[in-house]
Amino acid sequence: MPKTATIFSLAIVFFALCFGQKNGVAQSLEEAKRLAYQKIYDGNLLMDKGRYADAIAAYHDAVKLVPNDPKPYYYISFLYAQLGRWDEAQLAAEKALQIWPLYPEAHAQLGAIYLQKQAFQRAFSELTFAIAQKYEQPGALNNLGGYYLIYKHRADSATHFFSEAVRLDS
């Protein structure tokens, strides 16, 4: 009987340790995600204030906390694009898509970057994919309008996408 009680006690201790550790890991992952999203929020505020280096640092802090989350990379891409640093913006958008291949906003961002780099066919591909995944993206629709206007010289199609962008943004 004592052996059975000992084995049972060991099983309970083992279960408690395993459960406790999983719970601890889950809490630390949740905490890391919460902190990372706070860093993204802080980065957005810093970007709005024109403190771009500090914003980039905040986004990179978020990446350190959750390296397998595409959102910090998306925001890094967005800020680099705002600064006209197209190659860095492209790398960050591609990293976001490496993590989550169907991330519609990252596809839209990459499409906008390709437009700036005059890689029109790639821009079209990214923008149409983004819109197919999530239509309610005024920026992607606006950029698709730009594609039709600049590259295809089709004012009718451009007007359609510009109008859709305005409708959704209202």
Side-chain angles (χ1 to χ4, degrees), residues 18-149:
C18 289
F19 180 73
Q21 188 175 15
K22 284 182 185 173
N23 229 4
V25 170
Q27 287 175 352
S28 67
L29 289 175
E30 256 332 286
E31 181 67 6
K33 194 169 191 173
R34 187 190 66 74
L35 290 171
Y37 283 18
Q38 182 62 50
K39 291 287 186 184
I40 291 170
Y41 178 78
D42 293 345
N44 291 346
L45 292 177
L46 291 164
M47 183 173 55
D48 289 344
K49 293 178 182 177
R51 295 176 52 195
Y52 303 123
D54 293 333
I56 289 288
Y59 297 144
H60 280 288
D61 286 345
V63 166
K64 290 175 192 168
L65 289 164
V66 288
N68 292 320
D69 189 319
K71 289 184 181 183
Y73 294 102
Y74 166 77
Y75 284 100
I76 290 168
S77 176
F78 183 82
L79 179 52
Y80 279 142
Q82 295 291 29
L83 298 173
R85 294 166 62 176
W86 305 115
D87 291 336
E88 292 161 294
Q90 181 178 341
L91 286 174
E94 288 171 345
K95 180 64 178 175
L97 291 169
Q98 186 179 47
I99 295 167
W100 181 21
L102 299 178
Y103 191 1
E105 289 83 0
H107 280 284
Q109 178 67 19
L110 194 53
I113 293 164
Y114 286 145
L115 272 181
Q116 290 298 321
K117 292 177 136 191
Q118 297 186 359
F120 295 114
Q121 293 295 29
R122 294 177 87 180
F124 177 78
S125 176
E126 293 296 333
L127 292 167
T128 54
F129 185 86
I131 292 167
Q133 293 298 309
K134 179 180 173 189
Y135 188 78
E136 297 80 20
Q137 294 187 78
L141 290 164
N142 186 61
N143 285 328
L144 196 54
Y147 163 84
Y148 277 107
L149 188 62

